[in-house]
C-alpha cells in the first residue's frame, strides 16, 4: 500500500513509519515538525539524541534499501498544499497522528488551549474535507485516546466505542440504538479527540469515508524492532512535566535518582500499551478497513490497566527510588477503577507485551545511558488545570520553588 503518515516524525509516528516501511509499504511522512518547535519553546529536548527527519530517513535507506519520503506540510494551516499532495499521490491509506498530544501542554495557558484546539480540530477537518473533495477512497486510521471515555467505569467495562442503549419512545416502546460512548474529556487535549469523534461520525455517514478510530492508552517503552537497528533511528523519549507520560517518567526518575512524582494519592487507574504493540495495532487496523458506508470502526488500543501508585511502588522496589507524594496539578478523580474491553485487537492476532521487569530494565538502561542529557528542572509537572490548583503546586519534590515556563 501507499500510506501517508500524518505526524510521522513524532513518538508513535516515527516507529510506525519504520514498521510499515519494513513490512513493504510505500511510506510518505507529512509533518510540520511542530514537536521539535515545542521542544524549543519549552526549553527541553528528547532524552535520546534525535537527528533531523531527513537524516533519519537517509539512515533508514542506507540500512534497509527502503525509502521513506518526507513532506513538510502543516495539515491545520496548509489546506491547499495538503489537497494538492493528496491529489497527486492518492494514497491507499492515511494514518493520522498530526495532533498536539499532551494534556499538560494543552492546559498551560489560554494560548496553549487555543493552539491545541485550532491545530487538532483543523488538522482533522482539513484532511477529511480534502478527501471528500478529491473523491479519495483512502482508509483513514486515526490515533484517538482512551481519555475520550473519562476513566470511570460505573461498574461496567468500557466498550469499544459504542454503547448499546434502550431509548423509550413516546408510545411506550423501547428502541435499541448504538451510540458513541458518552464523551467525558479531562483536558483540552482530550476534548479535541472527543470533537474528532463527531467529525468522523459525520463524514462516515455523509460521505461514506472509511474511518478507523483507535482509542489508545498511555504508551510506555521506547524501542521497537526497527528503532533498534541503528543508533540514529532511535525514537524520541520525553521525560519533562508536559510531554513525559507517567510510566516512562517514573523509569527515568529512578535512573537519575529523582523522587518518583506521584500526583495525589496515585489512585488514578489508567490503560497502558507498549510502543511495539502500538505499531502492530496500527498495522492490524490498516489490514482490516471498514466497508464503505459503514459506521466508524473503533478499537480500544490498550493491553493492561494499572494504578499510578502501584507502578511507583513497583519501580521503587525494583530500583530503590524514593516516592514523592505531590499535590495533583490536574483536576481528576483521586481514585478510580478501570475495566476496558479490548477483544477486537486480540481477536485479530495482537499478542500483548505486558509489563515485565526485563522490559522495564530496557527503559532504565536507555535512561541511564542518556542521563547526562536530563535537565532536572524540567522534570516537575507545572501545568495546573485551574488557577486555584496552580497556587497549591509550587514546590518540586526536591523542595525548589517552581516557575511555570509558559
Ligand atoms: N501522573 C503522575 N505523575 C506524573 C505524571 C502523571 O501521577 O509524573 C498521573 C496523572 O496525574 C494522570 C496519569 O498519571 O492521572 C496519566 O498521566 P500521563 O501524563 O501519563 O497521561 P495523559 O496525560 O493521560 O496522556 C497520555 C498521552 C496522550 C494519550 C493518553 C492516553 O500524552 O496523548 O492520549 O496518555 S489516556 O491516558 O488513556 O487518556
Amino acid at each position: 500500500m501507499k500510506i501517508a503518515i500524518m505526524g510521522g516524525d513524532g513518538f508513535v509516528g516515527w516507529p510506525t513509519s519504520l514498521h510499515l516501511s519494513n513490512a513493504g509499504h510505500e511510506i510518505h511522512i507529512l509533518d510540520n515538525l511542530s514537536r521539535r518547535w515545542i521542544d524549543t519553546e519549552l526549553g527541553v529536548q528528547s532524552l535520546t539524541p534525535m537527528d533531523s527527519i531527513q537524516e533519519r530517513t537517509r539512515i533508514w535507506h542506507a540500512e534497509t534499501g527502503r525509502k521513506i519520503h518526507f513532506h513538510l506540510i502543516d495539515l491545520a494551516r496548509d489546506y491547499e498544499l495538503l489537497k494538492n499532495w493528496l491529489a497527486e499521490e492518492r494514497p491507499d491509506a492515511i494514518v493520522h497522528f498530526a495532533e498536539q498530544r499532551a494534556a499538560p501542554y494543552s492546559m498551560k495557558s489560554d494560548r496553549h488551549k487555543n493552539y491545541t484546539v485550532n491545530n487538532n480540530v483543523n488538522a482533522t477537518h482539513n484532511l477529511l474535507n480534502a478527501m471528500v473533495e478529491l473523491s479519495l477512497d483512502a482508509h483513514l486510521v486515526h490515533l484517538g485516546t482512551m481519555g475520550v471515555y473519562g476513566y470511570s467505569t460505573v461498574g461496567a467495562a468500557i466498550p469499544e466505542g459504542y454503547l448499546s442503549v434502550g431509548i423509550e419512545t413516546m408510545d411506550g416502546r423501547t428502541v435499541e440504538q448504538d451510540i458513541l460512548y458518552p464523551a467525558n474529556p479531562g483536558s483540552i487535549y482530550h476534548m479535541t479527540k472527543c470533537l474528532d469523534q463527531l467529525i468522523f461520525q459525520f463524514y462516515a455517514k455523509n460521505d461514506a469515508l472509511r474511518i478507523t478510530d483507535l482509542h489508545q492508552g498511555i504508551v510506555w517503552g521506547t524501542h521497537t524492532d526497527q528503532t533498534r537497528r541503528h543508533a540514529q533511528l532511535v525514537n524520541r523519549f520525553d521525560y519533562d512535566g508536559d510531554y513525559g507520560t507517567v510510566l516512562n517518567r517514573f523509569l527515568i526518575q529512578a535512573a537519575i535518582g529523582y523522587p518518583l512524582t506521584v500526583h495525589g494519592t496515585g489512585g488514578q487507574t489508567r490503560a497502558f500499551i507498549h510502543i511495539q504493540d502500538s505499531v502492530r495495532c496500527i498495522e492490524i487496523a490498516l489490514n482490516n478497513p471498514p466497508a464503505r458506508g459503514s459506521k466508524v470502526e473503533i478499537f480500544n488500543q490498550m493491553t493492561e490497566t494499572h494504578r499510578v501508585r502501584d507502578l511507583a511502588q513497583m519501580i521503587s522496589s525494583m530500583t530503590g527510588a524514593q516516592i514523592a507524594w505531590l499535590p495533583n496539578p490536574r483536576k481528576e478523580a483521586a481514585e478510580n477503577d478501570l475495566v476496558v474491553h479490548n477483544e477486537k485487537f486480540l481477536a485479530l492476532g495482537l499478542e500483548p507485551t505486558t509489563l515485565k521487569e526485563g522490559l522495564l530494565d530496557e527503559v532504565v538502561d536507555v535512561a541511564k545511558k542518556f542521563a547526562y542529557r536530563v535537565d532536572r528542572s524540567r522534570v516537575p509537572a507545572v501545568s495546573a488545570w485551574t488557577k486555584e490548583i496552580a497556587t497549591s503546586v509550587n514546590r518540586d519534590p526536591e523542595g525548589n520553588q517552581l516557575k511555570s515556563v509558559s
Side-chain angles (χ1 to χ4, degrees):
M1 281 192 275
K2 182 190 278 192
I3 306 176
I5 314 277
M6 312 308 197
D9 188 44
F11 174 58
V12 186
W14 174 242
T16 300
S17 302
L18 298 185
H19 184 81
L20 295 173
S21 174
N22 189 62
H25 299 293
E26 179 182 330
I27 301 301
H28 293 261
I29 290 177
L30 277 72
D31 202 300
N32 65 358
L33 307 182
S34 59
R35 255 325 261 117
R36 295 173 186 258
W37 283 108
I38 290 174
D39 278 344
T40 304
E41 174 202 349
L42 297 176
V44 295
Q45 56 182 358
S46 163
L47 174 73
T48 48
M50 208 180 29
D51 283 323
S52 70
I53 182 72
Q54 291 87 351
E55 180 64 4
R56 285 171 142 187
T57 55
R58 184 185 74 77
I59 296 288
W60 178 248
H61 183 236
E63 273 291 300
T64 64
R66 297 182 189 283
K67 275 210 151 144
I68 293 180
H69 308 268
F70 169 63
H71 313 273
L72 183 64
I73 296 180
D74 185 325
L75 263 62
R77 296 206 292 206
D78 302 334
Y79 178 73
E80 292 301 326
L81 266 183
L82 169 68
K83 192 167 101 175
N84 292 342
W85 187 86
L86 290 171
E88 213 161 282
E89 295 290 341
R90 301 196 76 85
D92 303 301
I94 300 171
V95 186
H96 175 26
F97 295 103
E99 295 182 269
Q100 193 296 99
R101 68 101 180 134
Y105 184 83
S106 78
M107 302 299 287
K108 285 187 99 56
S109 72
D110 54 349
R111 179 175 73 77
H112 294 91
K113 291 178 187 179
N114 273 344
Y115 168 74
T116 302
V117 172
N118 291 337
N119 182 73
N120 293 5
V121 176
N122 281 330
T124 298
H125 189 261
N126 282 348
L127 188 52
L128 294 161
N129 194 8
M131 288 169 71
V132 171
E133 188 57 26
L134 299 169
S135 305
L136 180 63
D137 181 29
H139 173 206
L140 177 70
V141 174
H142 171 252
L143 247 286
T145 173
M146 284 297 299
V148 296
Y149 303 121
Y151 308 101
S152 139
T153 48
V154 293
I158 291 182
E160 304 209 50
Y162 297 98
L163 186 66
S164 292
V165 295
I167 303 170
E168 216 171 289
T169 63
M170 282 176 290
D171 55 9
R173 290 173 302 121
T174 302
V175 176
E176 291 288 326
Q177 222 178 306
D178 276 356
I179 59 167
L180 277 175
Y181 193 89
N184 186 12
S187 72
I188 292 287
Y189 152 71
H190 287 102
M191 184 188 82
T192 63
K193 297 278 180 170
C194 296
L195 296 172
D196 283 344
Q197 287 200 100
L198 290 181
I199 300 174
F200 294 140
Q201 195 178 40
F202 173 76
Y203 276 97
K205 180 183 73 172
N206 197 65
D207 301 286
L209 292 190
R210 296 181 297 139
I211 302 171
T212 299
D213 204 0
L214 305 174
H215 292 331
Q216 183 164 254
I218 301 170
V219 179
W220 66 280
T222 176
H223 289 310
T224 63
D225 293 342
Q226 280 74 43
T227 63
R228 261 192 216 97
R229 292 177 70 149
H230 190 284
Q232 285 174 275
L233 295 175
V234 71
N235 200 8
R236 67 171 298 129
F237 186 107
D238 299 301
Y239 67 88
D240 62 285
D242 288 310
Y243 275 87
T245 51
V246 65
L247 181 51
N248 277 358
R249 267 165 69 72
F250 287 173
L251 289 165
I252 185 151
Q253 289 164 0
I256 63 167
Y258 195 99
L260 308 184
T261 55
V262 173
H263 295 164
T265 61
Q268 309 91 320
T269 307
R270 294 290 182 272
F272 290 84
I273 184 165
H274 189 268
I275 184 89
Q276 180 70 66
D277 288 353
S278 184
V279 303
R280 285 199 192 112
C281 285
I282 290 154
E283 185 180 22
I284 294 172
L286 284 166
N287 289 337
N288 293 277
R292 243 183 113 72
S294 60
K295 66 182 183 185
V296 177
E297 182 74 73
I298 301 178
F299 291 83
N300 289 340
Q301 188 162 310
M302 51 73 70
T303 55
E304 54 195 320
T305 60
H306 294 282
R307 209 175 277 278
V308 167
R309 66 169 165 263
D310 295 341
L311 294 176
Q313 271 150 3
M314 180 179 68
I315 293 165
S316 170
S317 59
M318 231 173 85
T319 62
Q322 303 278 306
I323 299 179
W325 306 92
L326 301 170
N328 194 343
R330 305 185 184 204
K331 193 165 183 171
E332 60 186 356
E335 305 271 331
N336 70 287
D337 292 319
L338 183 62
V339 183
V340 181
H341 282 292
N342 66 344
E343 291 83 6
K344 284 167 76 173
F345 271 130
L346 300 178
L348 290 169
L350 177 70
E351 288 169 16
T353 310
T354 49
L355 227 106
K356 282 189 234 41
E357 283 207 5
L359 281 167
L360 293 175
D361 283 345
E362 178 186 282
V363 185
V364 175
D365 287 347
V366 172
K368 282 194 177 137
K369 182 168 174 201
F370 297 112
Y372 67 95
R373 289 170 56 86
V374 173
D375 177 351
R376 295 172 84 88
S377 74
R378 290 288 168 245
V379 175
V382 292
S383 177
W385 260 230
T386 65
K387 292 194 169 103
E388 292 69 35
I389 293 173
T391 57
S392 67
V393 182
N394 56 12
R395 297 228 166 247
D396 75 13
E398 297 182 319
N400 304 309
Q401 184 74 36
L402 287 174
K403 229 175 35 214
S404 170
V405 292
S406 65

